[in-house]
Amino acid sequence: MGKQKMVYCGSCGKPMKKTDDFGSERDGTLSDKYCELCYQNGSWTEPDIIFDDFYEKSYRGFLNSDRSRIEKFFLKKMYTKKFVRKLERWSK
Ligand SMILES: [Zn+2]
């Protein structure tokens, strides 16, 4: 049994663990790249959002989520604009 590979959303960087975390394709199958906050039914939930707004929103979303204080501590350090820029959606 190999270690399960952690998948991160290619739009916001959220780690996706449960089926609920994954977005969906137009045919109803789960996306293997993007989370349900970013991607539903084969399209972006906010197709026209600009990068800076998206970053702010995602960052605040993580801090307001029910993650542990330890997780939030690391998120604050690692969830930078530079990090999000490198994700598939924004790196083009
Ligand atoms: Zn996402």
Side-chain angles (χ1 to χ4, degrees):
M1 286 254 292
K3 230 185 193 178
Q4 209 180 342
K5 199 178 152 222
M6 178 70 85
V7 184
Y8 295 90
C9 174
S11 167
C12 70
K14 171 179 152 163
M16 301 188 289
K17 301 172 195 160
K18 300 166 288 173
T19 311
D20 286 2
D21 294 334
F22 290 82
S24 56
E25 299 294 346
R26 200 184 295 228
D27 61 5
T29 57
L30 290 180
S31 167
D32 54 4
K33 284 185 186 169
Y34 306 115
C35 79
E36 46 91 35
L37 294 175
C38 296
Y39 193 73
Q40 282 171 19
N41 301 314
S43 27
W44 300 118
T45 52
E46 291 182 281
D48 302 321
I49 195 164
I50 61 164
F51 177 79
D52 285 348
D53 290 348
F54 180 83
Y55 171 79
E56 283 296 322
K57 212 185 128 195
S58 303
Y59 183 71
R60 249 179 277 130
F62 283 134
L63 294 187
N64 292 332
S65 68
D66 56 4
R67 283 160 203 280
S68 68
R69 281 174 62 191
I70 301 276
E71 272 186 289
K72 286 179 186 175
F73 174 81
F74 285 109
L75 262 169
K76 278 186 193 169
K77 293 194 178 249
M78 133 305 163
Y79 202 73
T80 58
K81 280 194 182 179
K82 210 173 148 194
F83 168 77
V84 181
R85 273 266 185 232
K86 284 190 189 145
L87 297 170
E88 190 174 324
R89 182 179 180 183
W90 310 103
S91 62
K92 284 165 200 150

